[in-house]
Each structure stands twice: as C-alpha cells, then as structure tokens.
Amino acid sequence: MNFFRRLAAQWGERYRRMSIQMVLSLSFTAVAAAGMLLMSVSMIWRFSSANEQLVAENSRRVLAQANLNLDSYLRRMMRISDTVYYRSIKNMDLAEDDLTGDLSLLYEENRDDLVSLAVFDGEGSLVSAVPLTSLKRDAAPEESDWFQAAAQSMENLHFSTPHVQNIFDDPDYPYRWVVSLSRHVQLTRDGATEGGVLLVDMSFSGIEQVCRDVTLGSGGYLYLIDGDGELIYHPRQQLIYTGLLAENNRAAAEYRDGSHQEKFQGQTRQVTVKTMGYTGWKLVGVAPGVSWFAASPQLPLFGLTLLLFSIFLMAFLNFLISARISDPILRLERSIRELDKGLANVKIEEGGCYEVQRLSHAVASMVSTMRHLMDDIIRQEGEKRRSELEVLQSQINPHFLYNTLDSVIWMTESGQRQEAIQMVTSLARLFRISLSRGKSIIPLADELEHARHYMNIQQIRFKNKFTTEIEARPGTEGLYTLKLIIQPLLENAIYHGMASAEDDGVIRVTAYREGEDLLIDVEDNGLGMRPEVASSLLDGERPEVRTKGSGIGVRNVHQRVGLTFGEGYGLAIFSEPDEGTLVRIRLPALDREEAERRREEEL
Amino acid sequence: MKTEKSRLIQIAILAALGLAAVLSLVLPQILRGEREEQLLSLSVMLRDTDSSSWTVARQGMEQAADELGAELRFLTLTAANDSGEQEALLLREIEDGAAALVVVPADPGALSAALDPWLVVCPTVTLESPMEGAAGVVSPDNARLGQELAGALLEDWDGGEVLLLDTAGSCAGVAARLAAAEAALAAAGAPVRREPKLPEEPPRWVMAFEPPVTQRAAERREAEGRDFALYGVGSAAAVTAQLERGNLAATAAWSDYAAGYLAVRRAVNAVRGTGGTLAPLPFFILREEDIYAPENQKLLFPIMSSSSR
C-alpha cells in the first residue's frame, strides 16, 4: 500500500514539474496506447474465436464428407454381403450346389476392395471361400471375434477392427490387414437349414484410401476409431502401434458428436467427432489449437513491432499536436516571465485556440493596466520627491535669513555701516543664487560662489574668528551640482567646529573630480567628534531635534543628494575629537547636457 | 536546432520501427520458405547384398524422413559383410554431400577408423552394433537379448548339446548376443558348441543370432525335414512365417519399423543439433502361439506394408 502511495506521490511530483506539452502528449499517447491494446486484445480474442469456429466448421464439413465416402464404401461392402447371402446362399442347397462360383464372381468384380469371401457353418468349418480355398491346419475361425459377434447377434452385420487375417492357408504368408464384415446366415443343406457365418474381408487399404486424402489443414488430421476407442485408421498408425506416438483415442470414444477442446500431451487442440451411422465407428478430426498461430510464428513479432510502431507514431503525432496546442500557452508564459524580470516593451501574443486567446487577451489587458498604474506611481513618486526637495530647501532659508537679518540689525545699531552693507550685499547675492530661476541643479561655480557669500556673512557675524578657503580644482570647470548643498555643511562647521575657535579656525571647501564623480570636501579644524557620533549624523532613523548642531542640515543635504542621484551618492563624515571634521559630498560629475536633461526630467 | 535534431531522431526511430514491422512479417516467411526447400540427404547403408530383410525398417525410415524433411538413399553391398566395400561406399556418399549416414556396420571398429575424420561433419547412426564416434546406435540390448533367447531355449531344453551359429564375424552386436547366450547356457549346464554354419547333422538345439541366418536355418530345417529346435532372432515376415510353420521354436523380436524410424530421426536431429538420446529398443521372445495376439500383430506386421499390396 505504501509502495503505491509513494508511487502516486512520485507521479504527482513529476506531473507538477512537467510542461503542458508533455502532459498533453503523454496523456494522449497513454490513452491511445491503452485503446489500441484493448482493441488488439479484443480483436485477437475475436479472431481466435472466429478462427476456432471456422476450424470447427471446416472439420465438421470435412468429417461429413469423409463420413459420406466411408459410409458409401461400407455400404458397398454390405451390398456384397447381401448379394452373397440373398442371391446365392438363400437360393442354394449346399448338398447339391457349389457356392464357390458365385463367390468367385463377386470377388473378381470387387477384388480391389476384397481380401477374401468365405462361408462357415455354425461349427466354424469352412463351407466355401475365395480366393483361398483352405484353412491353415490349426485355424479356429469359431474362436475369432468376427465369428462370435455374428453368431451372437444374428440380425446385424458386424465390422471388426483391423486385424491380420490368419485363418487361410496362403503359401506366401502375406499377413494382410483386413476389416472383417461378418453376419449370421441360414445355410440349407439337404433341405434342412442350419446357422452359419458369412465373412467378407475388406482390404484395410480401402478404408485407408478413403481416410488418407482427408486433410484438415494447418497440421490437422483425421483418424477413425470404433465405439470402444480402438484405432481403425490413423495417419501415423504404425508409430502409435510401436509406441513411438500416442493418441487420445480412448478419450475421443467418450466424446459426443461435435467439436470439443482437449488438452493432450501439453497441447490444446480442437477435436471434432462424427459418429458413423451403422457401424458406430467414430471419425475424429484433430486440429491443433495453435495451428493458425503455428502457421504464422512471426505474428507475435509482427504484432509487437506494429504495436510499438503505432505507439511511437501516436506519440510523435501527439507531440506535434500538443506542441501546436500548448505553444501559445508557452509563449504567454514566456512573456509573463519576461515581464517578471522587469523587461519593458514585452509584447503579449494573442494566439492559439479560443480559451488561450481569451487568456492572452486578459493578460495583455492586465499588463497594460499595470503599466498605466506604474506610470502613475512613477509620476506621483517624482512629484513627491520634488515636493520633498522643496520642503528640504525651504527648511534652510528661514533659519539662515533670520540669523543674517539679526546680524544686520545688530551691526546697523552698532554703527558698523560698511559691514552691514557688505552683509546685505552678500545676502542679496546669496538669495539670487538660491533662486536660480527655480532650478535645483546649478553650475558648481555658482554653488561655490553661494558658499563664499554665505561665509562672508558668517565671518562678519563671528568677527573673523575663522578663515575660509574655497577652491575648485582643475577638472571641475563646467560641472554642475545640486544647489545649496555646501551652505548647510558650512553652517554646521561654523556652529560645531568653530564654536570654541579663537581666530585660528579654518574652514576649507575643496571641489575636485574623481573619475566620473564630483567630490566636494568641507573641512574644518574645529572640535571634531567621535567617529560613531559622526556616522550617526546621517542616520535617517535618528529623531529630529531642532537645536544648533543637531546635524539636521547635514542630513537634509545627504537625503537630497540621495533622492536626486540615487544610492552611492551623498555625504560621508570623517571626524576625530580635537582634530576637526571632514564632510565629503559625492555627486555624479554632471556636464551641461546632463544637467539640462535632468532639469527636463524634473519638469 | 535541438528540436530539429530530436525530431530527426524521432522520425528515424519511427522509420526503424516501421521497417521492423514489415521485416517481421516478410522475413520469417522468406526464411521459412528457404528452410522448407532444404531437404537433408541421408544415406542408408546395409551390410547385406539385398534389403529384403530390412523392408519394414525401411518403411519406418521413410516415415521419419517424410516427417522431418529428409530424403534417403539406400545402399547394399555386392558381398555381404564386406567392410572394405562398405567403407569405400560410405566415403563416396560423404563426398557426394550426404548430410548423415545410417549404417548397419559390418565391422564397427574398422568403419569407425575409416570414417573418423568425417564423423563430426557427417553424423552417423548405426543399427544393430554400436560404433565409436557414432551419433547413436539403434538396437536392442544385445547381451540381454542373447541371454533371454538362451532362457527361452532352456525352458524347452531337456538335455543335449546346443549349437550356436557363430556368424558374427566382426559385427559386435551379433557377437554380443552370441556371447551372452553362450554364457547363459553354460551357466545352466548346457553343453555348447559354436559353428559358423549349420552342419549336415545338426544337434537337437540350434541358436541363430541374425535374422537372415535364422531364416536360412529354418528354411533348411523345413526343406530337409529336420527336427531340431531352432531359436533365432528377427521379426521380418519371412521369419514370422517360419515360426508359424513350426520351423522356429522362438524368435527374439523387436519392431523393425521403430528401429528404422528412430535411426533416421536421430540422424536428422544430429545434423540439426537438436540432440536427444536413444534408449535400447524393447524386444520380446515370440513363440508360435503368440503371433496373432493383437499387440504382437501391430508390431510384427506393419499396417503400411499390408495396405500396399
């Protein structure tokens, strides 16, 4: 039971891994092969049955004909016996007449079929005989079966089984096989009647000739037995007599007329029996059960190869047909897999039969809807990103503006008019660059200019506690950058790095190119911080605390760069306590064309 | 490309199977047709000058040849028991393409030596006497036969010398019968004498060990009106007739028909390599009163010969 369960599970597993074409092909082939086998078996069975009937019918017909011939032959012998009895014996007085003349006449007329004609009295003494006229010295006819059968049943004629006639004295000792026809007769001698026996010895060859030419085809043959099953004629009679061959004649004697199946010496054979009218002899036709098969021993081989050929042909055609059916489904499956891989512009083919067409159409429609939805999502994401950028930018301006204007008020109040003018001028320049006609990507030069103005303002505010160095190295000319990304870092450097500086603070801005990237380092020599604190400044999960030096400005810049240019771009902070801090901005090195293209995308 | 290749393989398998189906239908018929046409040529060589005493055996041989697809050539010698002539004739038959030989050897030892190189390619089956290198021998158990024939004589024996007709020459089978009979008689205390021929005045008890010798002795007994008791061998009609006429007291009989049939069947089987073994032929001691017992009739008087008058 477990074995079948395991087998079923294995098949189930295989089925799940099979392609639809293979499933269709195998299913069709299995069903067709099963059908063919069923049909073949039923045809073989039907053919065998029809063949058996045909053989039986043929045997019956042949046996009927043989019966007719044999019956005709025996009736002729009986007529001879009748002639001897009714025309000669009945009309003669043996004391006066000699029977030999009449017997000789009849013998000569039928010498091909007769071996001897003889009349015996009731004691077995020879009355008359032809062609041999005397008995052997120790012959005892009254002890013979044929004599006793005639004496016991007076009304009938009796046919013996074949035997060698041994009563007549023949100097040649020919040992002829005969079938004796005997009957009881009334002999008249001196006017008195007495019993006697008339013997007609038929040549065995007469019966043999009738039976010998009968053929049943395909190894079939005919034999003749008496009512007790004693063999009278058999095509291989002498082999049976010498014990080299066996025949099922005793069993055949028990069969009723008609066809029977029997198994003899391991062979199944069909036996047809026909009982002859007067003698009670039985004609037995034997047809080997496998005769039609034995006649065509190549049939099983032919059947097998034909079956294999048919199954393979069926499998081949089924493979082609199933390929035609399943191809559209496979193409559809392939398209969906390509879609799954993220390939754009995948065409969904709508082919195949009705159901597959409908399915393809539904998938194509779904893909189209999905693409529209994805476009909408992308557009919305873009808009969201822009709005986020705008929010981030807008977080910078009010903060700085407040501080600067506060410084201008302070300087105006304290009479530092020149410094106030310079600060306001830098502020104006700062805002002009900040606006940049709404563009988010501006030339690197403008961004550095913006940083310079910002630092001008902050230096006035912080009374030159630190110096600023801004440098654009060769190779950065003509490059573009995201705007307002340096200023928050400078702001952080001032508030964190320069807080405790005493006229020796240095803030250095360096723009340079590294491969396809543009790097902008903002470095100070201020207090610095522990590396773990430095790395936590860019952590997006960190709670937003709006205090000076909270690092929000730095994180804003990092997020803006990341949102605009993707992963791999943004800030990196390197710092050690008391040694200063280096904040490095990594951007793609955008030339004018690329910058323009990105601007258009933003729009 | 892969699909195209597998499709070509499929078509090739399909074509091969189709061809196999056609061949399986046609080839066996062709082969069978060829096989049916091939009749085996078998030569049958006797050690007598005529084959009259082998008529029944010949019928058995022809029956076997007919059933097994063989044709027979019967050969006799110009002088009885001439082993030289027998060897020469058999070698000629082998050269003429005989597939197998069935021989009643005049001198089994000499014949075996003469045919030795050929016995592998041309299987030889002997009748009556065994021969070294032969594919088989078809004969009764000769020693037992001699013993039982002597037993039959001893049943009737009431004293007197027993004459054994020693006609064996180099024929081992006959010699074995004779030796066994002689031993059995000696053991029973019967005086024994060997003579190559029946003397002018034979003793009361005579034994012959070959069918022709038996027949001739019986004929002479009848012709000369002698009254010796003759015990012989053979079941040919001539021997049986002598038995019936009272010239033969008993004969050791076997079915010549079966002997002929088995010899040819063994020879054909040896050629075709289908093997099989041969058991000694059954025999029985037949007396006059038993001739017409139904079972004896069947063995002694082959039905085929009686029908072909």
Side-chain angles (χ1 to χ4, degrees):
Chain A
M1 202 62 189
N2 284 337
F3 170 76
F4 287 112
R5 277 203 199 105
R6 269 205 308 278
L7 199 67
Q10 278 176 1
W11 274 103
E13 185 57 34
R14 277 185 194 168
Y15 173 75
R16 277 190 288 279
R17 283 204 300 260
M18 271 182 200
S19 69
I20 188 169
Q21 183 187 359
M22 190 56 80
V23 170
L24 284 172
S25 181
L26 282 182
S27 307
F28 288 168
T29 306
V31 170
M36 277 165 60
L37 273 175
L38 193 68
M39 207 160 72
S40 303
V41 169
S42 64
M43 275 178 72
I44 287 171
W45 178 79
R46 187 80 191 94
F47 179 65
S48 298
S49 173
N51 188 61
E52 275 173 21
Q53 285 176 3
L54 200 69
V55 170
E57 185 55 40
N58 181 51
S59 296
R60 274 196 291 272
R61 206 167 37 244
V62 170
L63 257 61
Q65 185 59 47
N67 177 45
L68 206 66
N69 296 342
L70 205 54
D71 194 57
S72 165
Y73 176 76
L74 294 178
R75 283 190 186 284
R76 196 149 59 84
M77 296 299 114
M78 288 159 77
R79 274 199 302 277
I80 292 170
S81 177
D82 287 346
T83 306
V84 174
Y85 186 35
Y86 294 110
R87 292 198 181 166
S88 300
I89 295 173
K90 282 239 176 204
N91 300 326
M92 281 185 186
D93 187 327
L94 295 176
E96 299 167 3
D97 305 312
D98 187 6
L99 193 57
T100 310
D102 288 0
L103 292 181
S104 296
L105 203 63
L106 266 173
Y107 175 76
E108 288 303 324
E109 279 178 13
N110 300 282
R111 64 177 304 151
D112 288 343
D113 299 319
L114 295 178
V115 173
S116 58
L117 286 171
V119 179
F120 301 87
D121 64 15
E123 303 301 318
S125 299
L126 184 66
V127 175
S128 183
V130 289
L132 300 168
T133 54
S134 60
L135 297 181
K136 285 180 180 171
R137 57 182 159 84
D138 51 354
E142 69 280 4
E143 292 175 7
S144 304
D145 292 341
W146 51 267
F147 191 97
Q148 289 175 3
Q152 282 165 12
S153 180
M154 298 179 181
E155 303 301 318
N156 299 327
L157 282 81
H158 305 277
F159 289 91
S160 73
T161 50
H163 63 102
V164 174
Q165 187 53 280
N166 61 334
I167 58 171
F168 296 105
D169 187 19
D170 188 336
D172 296 333
Y173 285 84
Y175 300 113
R176 286 177 181 152
W177 281 85
V178 298
V179 172
S180 297
L181 167 60
S182 60
R183 72 190 300 171
H184 180 266
V185 290
Q186 290 288 334
L187 303 174
T188 305
R189 202 188 296 268
D190 287 330
T193 57
E194 60 179 79
V197 173
L198 168 62
L199 172 70
V200 177
D201 275 337
M202 301 179 287
S203 168
F204 177 77
S205 61
I207 292 174
E208 190 198 0
Q209 277 169 13
V210 173
C211 299
R212 188 176 54 197
D213 297 332
V214 179
T215 52
L216 291 173
S218 305
Y221 60 90
L222 174 142
Y223 66 92
L224 182 65
I225 53 174
D226 69 2
D228 297 326
E230 189 64 38
L231 216 55
I232 295 171
Y233 165 80
H234 193 286
R236 299 168 85 190
Q237 196 155 346
Q238 197 54 41
L239 288 177
I240 295 169
Y241 281 174
T242 50
L244 295 174
L245 191 74
E247 184 54 84
N248 204 21
N249 46 318
R250 298 289 175 194
E254 305 297 323
Y255 293 152
R256 282 191 285 182
D257 282 12
S259 292
H260 308 269
Q261 289 284 339
E262 69 171 20
K263 195 157 188 174
F264 181 62
Q265 293 185 327
Q267 274 197 332
T268 304
R269 49 192 212 168
Q270 194 183 60
V271 175
T272 307
V273 177
K274 170 81 179 163
T275 306
M276 295 177 65
Y278 189 83
T279 56
W281 291 354
K282 289 188 173 186
L283 279 164
V284 185
V286 179
V290 291
S291 58
W292 64 274
F293 204 64
S296 310
Q298 78 274 23
L299 267 183
L301 186 64
F302 172 68
L304 184 69
T305 50
L306 190 65
L307 190 69
L308 281 175
F309 174 73
S310 306
I311 289 173
F312 199 81
L313 179 66
M314 202 65 71
F316 181 69
L317 292 177
N318 284 340
F319 197 77
L320 294 179
I321 293 166
S322 59
R324 198 160 178 77
I325 294 170
S326 61
D327 263 2
I329 300 172
L330 290 176
R331 283 201 296 273
L332 180 63
E333 190 262 343
R334 214 173 296 134
S335 304
I336 291 170
R337 222 176 320 137
E338 283 173 2
L339 275 174
D340 203 31
K341 283 180 191 165
L343 291 178
N345 301 323
V346 176
K347 189 175 182 303
I348 307 291
E349 287 186 39
E350 296 181 22
C353 57
Y354 176 75
E355 287 82 357
V356 180
Q357 277 183 41
R358 295 289 304 161
L359 182 65
S360 304
H361 182 75
V363 170
S365 170
M366 200 172 71
V367 168
S368 169
T369 307
M370 206 168 67
R371 277 180 185 152
H372 282 116
L373 286 172
M374 280 176 69
D375 286 347
D376 284 350
I377 289 167
I378 290 166
R379 189 167 46 77
Q380 283 169 7
E381 279 294 315
E383 283 172 2
K384 188 181 164 192
R385 195 174 61 178
R386 263 201 305 279
S387 65
E388 277 178 4
L389 280 172
E390 282 165 7
V391 168
L392 289 172
Q393 285 174 15
S394 67
Q395 283 177 352
I396 297 165
N397 295 336
H399 183 70
F400 174 72
L401 186 60
Y402 169 76
N403 286 333
T404 308
L405 289 175
D406 191 45
S407 298
V408 170
I409 292 165
W410 175 76
M411 280 190 284
T412 309
E413 283 177 350
S414 62
Q416 294 173 349
R417 196 168 153 249
Q418 194 56 42
E419 283 87 348
I421 289 167
Q422 190 184 349
M423 186 175 262
V424 171
T425 305
S426 288
L427 187 63
R429 288 287 297 158
L430 193 77
F431 276 110
R432 195 181 66 78
I433 293 166
S434 295
L435 289 171
S436 302
R437 296 178 197 164
K439 296 172 186 170
S440 61
I441 294 172
I442 59 172
L444 175 65
D446 286 357
E447 179 64 8
L448 293 176
E449 181 69 15
H450 180 267
R452 197 170 287 117
H453 286 299
Y454 175 75
M455 289 309 289
N456 284 342
I457 293 165
Q458 295 294 48
Q459 273 181 311
I460 294 167
R461 280 188 63 211
F462 285 89
K463 297 178 180 159
N464 293 321
K465 279 175 76 178
F466 49 86
T467 57
T468 305
E469 295 170 14
I470 296 174
E471 181 194 7
R473 288 186 186 165
T476 59
E477 303 85 357
L479 294 182
Y480 282 69
T481 178
L482 199 62
K483 76 176 177 183
L484 302 185
I485 56 172
I486 300 174
Q487 178 265 328
L489 306 185
L490 291 172
E491 187 180 353
N492 248 31
I494 292 164
Y495 288 114
H496 290 282
M498 300 296 117
S500 56
E502 292 178 1
D503 300 334
D504 57 347
V506 177
I507 296 174
R508 192 176 292 118
V509 177
T510 313
Y512 57 98
R513 190 163 178 165
E514 188 180 276
E516 294 302 312
D517 291 345
L518 170 63
L519 301 182
I520 302 169
D521 288 351
V522 177
E523 190 179 6
D524 67 66
N525 59 350
L527 292 173
M529 64 191 102
R530 293 195 309 275
E532 58 270 25
V533 176
S535 60
S536 71
L537 291 175
L538 300 176
D539 187 1
E541 301 298 315
R542 189 179 162 185
E544 192 171 309
V545 183
R546 279 215 160 269
T547 55
K548 276 183 181 176
S550 62
I552 291 173
V554 177
R555 206 173 339 146
N556 281 348
V557 172
H558 181 63
Q559 287 175 349
R560 280 170 59 203
V561 173
L563 279 169
T564 306
F565 299 114
E567 278 190 35
Y569 297 104
L571 269 56
I573 302 172
F574 309 96
S575 184
E576 285 291 333
D578 300 327
E579 286 189 10
T581 301
L582 167 66
V583 181
R584 178 169 292 156
I585 307 169
R586 182 177 289 273
L587 303 160
L590 302 175
D591 58 10
R592 185 185 175 83
E593 281 179 13
E594 184 62 20
E596 285 298 325
R597 194 183 64 74
R598 283 184 173 270
R599 279 180 197 149
E600 282 169 13
E601 274 183 11
E602 279 180 10
L603 292 173
Chain B
M1 191 67 184
K2 194 179 170 187
T3 313
E4 188 64 28
K5 192 179 172 186
S6 66
R7 187 149 299 168
L8 279 173
I9 291 169
Q10 285 169 352
I11 290 170
I13 293 171
L14 206 60
L17 280 172
L19 192 68
V22 173
L23 281 180
S24 67
L25 191 65
V26 174
L27 209 59
Q29 279 181 342
I30 295 169
L31 290 176
R32 193 171 49 174
E34 285 176 358
R35 221 177 15 244
E36 277 170 359
E37 287 166 11
Q38 287 175 349
L39 275 177
L40 288 180
S41 175
L42 265 63
S43 296
V44 181
M45 166 64 73
L46 307 178
R47 63 182 176 90
D48 297 316
T49 51
D50 73 282
S51 61
S52 58
S53 58
W54 292 91
T55 311
V56 177
R58 183 173 177 159
Q59 286 175 346
M61 289 179 187
E62 281 168 350
Q63 172 80 27
D66 187 47
E67 287 178 9
L68 301 171
E71 58 181 3
L72 304 176
R73 270 166 54 81
F74 284 88
L75 304 163
T76 52
L77 302 174
T78 52
N81 293 320
D82 185 343
S83 62
E85 187 188 2
Q86 197 174 47
E87 288 165 22
L89 282 173
L90 288 173
L91 287 170
R92 193 193 69 191
E93 287 302 302
I94 292 169
E95 281 175 14
D96 287 351
L101 304 175
V102 175
V103 188
V104 186
D107 183 348
L111 188 64
S112 172
L115 298 182
D116 186 45
W118 303 101
L119 289 174
V120 178
V121 289
C122 184
T124 302
V125 176
T126 60
L127 283 159
E128 197 176 75
S129 300
M131 187 179 85
E132 195 180 337
V137 56
V138 179
S139 85
D141 182 337
N142 288 312
R144 233 188 87 215
L145 187 146
Q147 203 174 15
E148 291 196 15
L149 191 63
L153 183 144
L154 288 170
E155 281 176 15
D156 306 332
W157 187 65
D158 55 2
E161 190 184 46
V162 180
L163 174 67
L164 305 179
L165 290 174
D166 184 0
T167 55
S170 303
C171 185
V174 178
R177 292 171 196 168
L178 196 149
E182 188 175 29
L185 291 169
V192 175
R193 175 161 59 103
R194 285 194 187 201
E195 289 287 345
K197 284 166 63 178
L198 195 65
E200 289 297 320
E201 292 295 330
R204 276 186 63 208
W205 309 97
V206 178
M207 288 186 81
F209 299 96
E210 291 184 72
V213 176
T214 304
Q215 187 187 336
R216 282 197 296 273
E219 283 168 357
R220 195 171 147 195
R221 181 186 184 278
E222 187 176 44
E224 296 176 4
R226 307 277 183 184
D227 62 349
F228 60 84
L230 177 63
Y231 297 83
V233 296
S235 54
V239 174
T240 317
Q242 293 297 344
L243 185 69
E244 199 176 351
R245 287 209 284 266
N247 294 317
L248 195 58
T251 179
W254 61 87
S255 170
D256 281 337
Y257 187 90
Y261 183 89
L262 289 172
V264 169
R265 190 173 75 178
R266 179 73 192 100
V268 171
N269 286 346
V271 172
R272 291 181 179 152
T274 46
T277 53
L278 286 170
L281 279 175
F283 68 91
F284 54 99
I285 303 298
L286 183 72
R287 291 182 183 268
E288 183 189 354
E289 60 271 22
D290 301 324
I291 294 176
Y292 292 104
E295 291 311 309
N296 289 344
Q297 283 186 37
K298 291 172 184 174
L299 288 174
L300 296 171
F301 314 118
I303 203 158
M304 302 300 284
S305 62
S306 67
S307 63
S308 54
R309 307 185 277 158

